[in-house]
Amino acid sequence: MTGAMTAATTDTSASTGIRNLPWQKVTIAVVIVALAVLCATTPQFFTINNAKAILASASIVGLAALGGTFIMIVGSIVSLATAQTMAVIAMVFLASQQLGLVPAIAVALLAGAAIQAIQGALVGYWSANPVVLTIAAAFALTGLATFVTGGTTVYPTVNNFEVLNSTPLGIPLSVFVFIGAAVLAEIILRRTVRGQQMYLVGENRRAARAAGLPVPHIVLFAWVVGGVLLAVGALFLAAFNTTATINLGGTITFDAIAAVLAGGTAIAGGKGSALRTVGGTLAIAIIADLLLLRGFSTGAQLLVKGLLVLVLVIVVHLESKREK
């Protein structure tokens, strides 16, 4: 009897010990060590051109991930319509080129804000399930784009967007814009009243409502800011590809989600930061680059990203249990 009790106590202590491990820090340390080893043993990784390629690919995904960070922090989980939203914005931007670059950018930013505002209003004011809603939005945007274009590729009549493909100091312009957007997003989140309110709503929406916070307005704000950031990313996506179809976004929905989670933003809301999303974005871009340099197929890259997201979700769950 005593032995059984001792064994049970030992099992409980072991379980408590595992639960109390700082899983997020352990995982980050393991990932950093693994990446360092892989980088050091991968030919062609430490080259200037490869570094530029990583930064260029990270910048567009990163802008989408920054938008996703706002949505996740306010407690709206994720948007599964990111790729379709960016594709539609890119099509609008290219189709508006005859207006001139600045008006075309303004039209694209307004389109991004409007598309996300509709979804944010449904989530904020009518408590729509964001996952189900964004799945519906993805279908709706695909259908709308196909109906308007007849399923054909959108070509610009003039190429006013070429400046977006410029490389100041040898680095793509999108990288500078990504860094600037990340700093601005961090300031909004950390230094403004609305940013702090977003964390409170994401952590406990019922308590935020009881405290008198305008929860629907705050949720709508997060989605609109997210939409503008998506639109900025879509501008560079369109300029880089020079044409657009509804499939232009590719796997950017899942790339952006992986980047946000890799940065440590809580999928349940209330925690996270723009600067940590930058770190997550770079980590995902480096992993994709390593797999590419080592000759792995696109399918293998997607598989690794999927497993990484699964591990991160488990880690965040264990971390939240430990904090409770």
Side-chain angles (χ1 to χ4, degrees):
M1 181 70 178
T2 303
M5 290 179 64
T6 302
T9 303
T10 303
D11 289 343
T12 303
S13 299
S15 174
T16 303
I18 292 173
R19 194 167 56 241
N20 288 337
L21 278 173
W23 284 103
Q24 203 160 4
K25 293 179 180 177
V26 170
T27 303
I28 291 173
V30 170
V31 169
I32 290 175
V33 171
L35 284 179
V37 172
L38 288 172
C39 292
T41 57
T42 302
Q44 304 298 316
F45 181 81
F46 289 107
T47 63
I48 298 296
N49 288 335
N50 190 50
K52 289 180 181 178
I54 291 173
L55 290 174
S57 66
S59 59
I60 295 177
V61 173
L63 286 164
L66 287 175
T69 302
F70 277 80
I71 291 172
M72 200 174 288
I73 285 176
V74 85
S76 296
I77 311 178
V78 295
S79 170
L80 295 177
T82 298
Q84 291 79 7
T85 302
M86 292 182 73
V88 167
I89 296 169
M91 295 165 84
V92 170
F93 175 62
L94 293 179
S96 305
Q97 287 299 298
Q98 73 276 9
L99 301 174
L101 179 60
V102 174
I105 290 176
V107 170
L109 295 180
L110 286 173
I115 291 171
Q116 293 294 93
I118 294 171
Q119 297 171 67
L122 291 171
V123 174
Y125 290 93
W126 287 278
S127 300
N129 184 304
V131 173
V132 176
L133 174 67
T134 53
I135 290 174
F139 278 110
L141 290 169
T142 301
L144 178 63
T146 304
F147 174 76
V148 172
T149 65
T152 60
T153 302
V154 173
Y155 294 92
T157 53
V158 290
N159 292 347
N160 291 319
F161 55 78
E162 279 303 326
V163 66
L164 298 180
N165 290 324
S166 61
T167 55
L169 305 176
I171 299 173
L173 178 62
S174 59
V175 176
F176 294 101
V177 173
F178 172 44
I179 294 171
V183 172
L184 182 59
E186 188 72 9
I187 291 173
I188 293 173
L189 288 170
R190 298 291 184 185
R191 303 292 183 185
T192 68
V193 173
R194 190 62 93 196
Q196 293 300 303
Q197 290 174 338
M198 286 171 53
Y199 283 102
L200 295 174
V201 171
E203 189 169 358
N204 191 327
R205 182 172 297 198
R206 185 174 297 177
R209 189 175 285 113
L213 294 181
V215 173
H217 290 67
I218 296 167
V219 173
L220 176 60
F221 173 80
W223 279 77
V224 170
V225 174
V228 172
L229 289 166
L230 283 182
V232 176
L235 298 178
F236 289 101
L237 188 65
F240 179 77
N241 288 278
T242 71
T243 61
T245 68
I246 191 60
N247 298 317
L248 182 64
T251 62
I252 202 166
T253 296
F254 302 111
D255 290 341
I257 292 171
V260 178
L261 291 174
T265 297
I267 195 166
K271 294 179 181 177
S273 80
L275 296 184
R276 292 178 68 170
T277 293
V278 173
T281 302
L282 289 175
I284 295 297
I286 290 173
I287 290 171
D289 182 72
L290 286 170
L291 293 171
L292 187 65
L293 290 176
R294 285 174 171 265
F296 286 91
S297 64
T298 302
Q301 295 179 42
L302 293 173
L303 176 62
V304 171
K305 290 176 186 175
L307 291 174
L308 179 62
V309 170
L310 178 62
V311 170
L312 290 170
V313 169
I314 294 172
V315 167
V316 170
H317 173 73
L318 292 172
E319 190 72 13
S320 63
K321 290 285 186 183
R322 187 178 72 88
E323 292 176 354
K324 290 178 181 177

